[in-house]
Amino acid sequence: MALPINIEDLLKHRKVESGRIEFKKGWNPEKVYRSICAFANDFDNIGGGYILIGVEEDNGVAKRPVSGLPIEQIDSILKEIINYNNKLNPYYLPRTELAEVDGRHIIVIWCPSGINRPYDVPENVISRNSQRKCYIRSGSSSIEAKGYILDELRDMANRVPFDDSGNPDIKLTDISGLLVLDYLNKIGSKLASDFNGHNLEDILEQMDLFVGPKERRMLKNIAAMMFCPNPEKFFPYTQTEIVIFPEGVLENPNNFMEVPPIRGSVPQIIEETMRYLRSVIIRQHIVKPKDRAQSEKTFNYPYQALEEAVSNSLYHRDYRSREPIVIEIQPHEITISSATGPDRSISLNSIREGKRMVTRYYRNRRLGEFLKELGLTEGRSTGIPTIQSELAKNGSPSASFDTNEERSYFVVTIPCHEGEEGIPSSLLVPKEIPKEIPKEIPKEIPKEIPKEIPKEIPKESPKENTKVLVGSDVNVETNPKESPKEIVELAKEQGLTTLQTDLLSMIYCNPNITMKQLSLKVGISVDQIRYQRRLLEAKGISVLRQGATKNGTWSIEIISQRGKEILD
């Protein structure tokens, strides 16, 4: 069966470090099983490794075209692998794939980290009376574990990463086959092409997402993190919350805007968070120097630095914590806060220096592997150097990192490029609301909505399968003290913010209200109203303006089926 990885990535050392890949020109069970044992023990907690049989190497690099294996030997080798697996103690099952590369056949053996460490194997699996030994990886070699290393390996048996642990509450029905297939397609795995020919349980088994004996198989936590549309069902507050302080959190903590919480599987949260930051916050500044043809491009925040910081916050998060990832955006910096800090094996000085942080213990080792396959994290403790490098290339100050002795939080602060806008002007809220109403707005707004048909007829009729809600039959004051019952129910169902609820209530009660009137009554800028309309549209609620700016009317189209039911 196919493995959940692209074979070309292994041959070219893309996404998987060279120390986790071993090339064998021919089938040598004695050496191969020492390496399988070493990868299963995973002393450095790097996620196991891969053995490619039929590939010759030159200084750690695969020779192309590959040498391949004689076709007449392949069945015999696969049978021997099944037999020799029984010699690993405790029982351990590596995954295998027969692949065709450069027109020749090779065998790929995937050895994920074992959950029952330490493992041992006969020094020579071919011999009946060979002594059993434990092996670990040292660089690109497999060596025997002795002395204190063996003691530490035994101690690691009690340190199974959280994401690799079984969870009896996760059911197969909680896993989205679409998310699994999307992941396999993105990484270029052959499992994607086999997807329709196997049931979901077989696919997850091949991806090493089950744990436990056959009579009590449990899905691992990583399965819900990656492939459950609502992992907060198992890990409360798995979400990012974005808060914007236009004047700064210290300067005016009461002036802030909240973005609706971003939820979903971990990759979805990262992608949606970065989509928001890219479209709303990140801005590029291009300067054309007079003395040369090439333009100079800088960003207020480099995308890659933010992506690495956001991805790492979700990668290293303690999913037993009931705290979200909080992103605070201020005029001069962005801070990304997690409720739990780095492992205590990393000193406070190393953390605050903002350099590479190396640890052997990871809360979510498998999650890091999956995110690295998607290109969302760097892996191998290179996240912080990547952030600093991207900031330096952009000409920005270095990021800073902070935690406490108890490691109860971790804060990454990414400064804005000097001279750039940390918060786009379109998001800035006016400091003071004008005391006097502008002359063009009538002093008194009619309590009743005119029954006349607007002079301008909308060019487009409402879309099919939408419920059009126009407040022409509503007789309430323009600025209601309480939101109409229909809007309150809709807000609860769609998860609307207080601001969005207020905007819909005013439009519902008075479809003739202008943008300027809305701006004055709600206390936000016209640009911010436009932004809230985009957020509402993403939730299936279209707020449309029909006709002239002053004499036009609003209509609210409820696209979601549940929204229509509420308003019918």
Side-chain angles (χ1 to χ4, degrees):
M1 195 173 184
L3 298 180
I5 194 167
N6 187 297
I7 304 301
E8 281 296 327
D9 286 344
L10 296 177
L11 291 166
K12 296 177 181 178
H13 291 174
R14 293 190 305 233
K15 301 180 181 178
V16 179
E17 302 82 6
S18 58
R20 296 178 57 205
I21 304 172
E22 192 166 291
F23 300 120
K24 299 289 186 185
K25 183 179 180 180
W27 170 236
N28 185 335
E30 178 184 344
K31 292 184 178 179
V32 166
Y33 271 82
R34 291 177 189 173
S35 296
I36 290 175
C37 180
F39 283 132
N41 281 323
D42 194 18
F43 184 68
D44 290 320
N45 264 333
I46 57 177
Y50 300 83
I51 303 169
L52 282 74
I53 304 170
V55 181
E56 189 176 1
E57 69 167 326
D58 183 13
N59 293 324
V61 179
K63 283 187 177 182
R64 305 294 293 268
V66 300
S67 53
L69 294 169
I71 190 69
E72 63 274 10
Q73 293 183 12
I74 290 176
D75 283 344
S76 174
I77 293 172
L78 292 174
K79 288 178 182 178
E80 287 185 38
I81 288 174
I82 294 172
N83 180 44
Y84 293 139
N85 285 344
N86 294 314
K87 296 198 173 187
L88 289 158
N89 181 51
Y91 180 72
Y92 173 83
L93 182 64
R95 271 70 171 173
T96 59
E97 177 183 343
L98 177 62
E100 186 175 336
V101 178
D102 301 334
R104 297 168 187 177
H105 292 90
I106 67 170
I107 294 176
V108 183
I109 303 178
W110 174 33
C111 313
S113 306
I115 61 170
N116 297 314
R117 296 177 285 190
Y119 294 91
D120 60 60
V121 71
E123 186 176 11
N124 184 351
V125 291
I126 298 175
S127 173
R128 291 186 178 181
N129 301 313
S130 183
Q131 184 181 358
R132 304 190 71 88
K133 293 183 178 180
C134 281
Y135 293 92
I136 62 168
R137 296 292 286 181
S138 176
S140 59
S141 303
S142 298
I143 64 170
E144 182 183 355
K146 299 178 181 179
Y148 78 92
I149 292 180
L150 184 57
D151 292 337
E152 189 171 349
L153 184 60
R154 290 176 178 139
D155 182 58
M156 288 173 68
N158 300 319
R159 286 177 171 262
V160 177
F162 177 75
D163 63 342
D164 228 10
S165 302
N167 189 330
D169 295 329
I170 303 172
K171 308 302 180 187
L172 196 60
T173 52
D174 294 313
I175 305 302
S176 166
L178 290 176
L179 289 179
V180 176
L181 181 58
D182 180 61
Y183 168 78
L184 294 173
N185 277 320
K186 284 179 178 177
I187 68 171
S189 170
K190 283 179 62 179
L191 266 178
S193 58
D194 296 343
F195 198 86
N196 292 330
H198 297 83
N199 60 45
L200 182 59
E201 186 172 358
D202 289 340
I203 296 289
L204 298 178
E205 185 73 55
Q206 190 66 10
M207 295 174 71
D208 191 34
L209 295 178
F210 280 100
V211 67
K214 290 183 179 180
E215 66 274 13
R216 194 172 181 269
R217 298 295 274 164
M218 290 184 291
L219 280 163
K220 296 180 178 180
N221 284 317
I222 181 62
M225 292 177 187
M226 285 294 301
F227 307 120
C228 179
N230 54 332
E232 66 273 11
K233 176 180 178 181
F234 312 103
F235 322 116
Y237 292 93
T238 299
Q239 62 192 47
T240 57
E241 297 181 359
I242 300 176
V243 187
I244 302 171
F245 292 90
E247 299 172 64
V249 67
L250 296 179
E251 290 77 4
N252 190 351
N254 296 319
N255 180 13
F256 64 88
M257 294 176 282
E258 291 181 293
V259 175
I262 298 173
R263 302 186 179 96
S265 68
V266 172
Q268 287 177 320
I269 292 174
I270 294 172
E271 289 168 3
E272 288 301 315
T273 301
M274 292 312 303
R275 185 175 291 115
Y276 176 86
L277 295 176
R278 181 176 59 240
S279 61
V280 179
I281 302 299
I282 297 176
R283 291 291 181 269
Q284 185 182 47
H285 184 203
I286 301 176
V287 177
K288 180 68 174 65
K290 295 180 180 180
D291 56 345
R292 61 180 185 273
Q294 191 174 9
S295 300
E296 294 179 354
K297 299 178 181 180
T298 57
F299 295 85
N300 53 354
Y301 300 102
Y303 179 89
Q304 291 82 358
L306 286 177
E307 182 183 54
E308 190 68 28
V310 170
S311 298
N312 273 281
S313 67
L314 283 149
Y315 169 18
H316 297 294
R317 178 181 185 263
D318 185 348
Y319 284 83
R320 292 165 293 189
S321 168
R322 302 181 68 86
E323 297 291 337
I325 303 297
V326 179
I327 302 174
E328 293 183 352
I329 302 172
Q330 302 185 61
H332 56 286
E333 66 185 22
I334 292 178
T335 59
I336 301 169
S337 306
S338 312
T340 46
D343 189 81
R344 294 181 64 85
S345 61
I346 305 172
S347 69
L348 273 175
N349 288 337
S350 296
I351 293 168
R352 288 169 178 164
E353 283 176 4
K355 298 180 180 178
R356 188 167 180 249
M357 301 179 196
V358 181
T359 180
R360 183 175 291 153
Y361 305 111
Y362 292 89
R363 290 189 187 94
N364 307 303
R365 177 183 59 203
R366 287 292 302 281
L367 180 59
E369 292 177 37
F370 278 107
L371 296 180
K372 187 175 180 183
E373 285 291 325
L374 292 171
L376 295 174
T377 60
E378 289 289 324
R380 298 297 287 162
S381 305
T382 58
I384 289 177
T386 298
I387 293 172
Q388 304 291 38
S389 172
E390 293 298 332
L391 288 169
K393 284 192 287 187
N394 191 58
S396 302
S398 297
S400 60
F401 307 85
D402 191 32
T403 187
N404 57 4
E405 287 287 356
E406 293 75 27
R407 309 303 163 91
S408 59
Y409 67 87
F410 186 60
V411 178
V412 181
T413 302
I414 298 180
C416 180
H417 187 283
E418 188 176 354
E420 300 291 342
E421 237 183 13
I423 299 178
S425 55
S426 60
L427 292 181
L428 297 178
V429 179
K431 293 182 179 179
E432 295 184 3
I433 300 174
K435 295 179 181 179
E436 296 183 2
I437 299 176
K439 293 180 181 179
E440 63 268 25
I441 299 177
K443 292 181 180 180
E444 293 185 4
I445 300 174
K447 293 184 179 180
E448 293 188 3
I449 298 165
K451 298 180 180 179
E452 297 179 7
I453 299 174
K455 294 180 180 180
E456 295 189 14
I457 299 174
K459 294 181 180 179
E460 296 182 0
S461 59
K463 300 175 183 178
E464 294 182 6
N465 300 324
T466 64
K467 166 70 177 180
V468 181
L469 172 64
V470 182
S472 57
D473 57 346
V474 182
N475 186 15
V476 295
E477 60 187 47
T478 303
N479 191 11
K481 294 180 181 179
E482 294 183 358
S483 298
K485 180 180 68 175
E486 294 86 350
I487 299 297
V488 171
E489 291 183 23
L490 182 66
K492 289 180 180 178
E493 184 66 25
Q494 302 296 94
L496 304 185
T497 64
T498 303
L499 175 59
Q500 292 165 349
T501 305
D502 289 344
L503 285 171
L504 287 178
S505 297
M506 291 181 188
I507 291 170
Y508 178 86
C509 295
N510 180 15
N512 299 85
I513 192 169
T514 67
M515 287 279 276
K516 287 185 178 180
Q517 288 172 321
L518 277 174
S519 174
L520 289 170
K521 291 188 175 296
V522 182
I524 62 175
S525 67
V526 170
D527 283 337
Q528 180 62 9
I529 291 176
R530 293 192 182 101
Y531 172 65
Q532 291 298 327
R533 287 172 64 189
R534 291 199 299 271
L535 293 181
L536 285 167
E537 188 167 5
K539 295 183 178 183
I541 304 171
S542 291
V543 183
L544 306 175
R545 181 73 177 176
Q546 300 168 341
T549 303
K550 293 182 180 180
N551 300 321
T553 59
W554 294 98
S555 70
I556 302 173
E557 293 184 6
I558 311 301
I559 301 171
S560 72
Q561 183 63 35
R562 179 58 182 149
K564 290 190 291 180
E565 292 171 0
I566 291 174
L567 297 165
D568 279 337

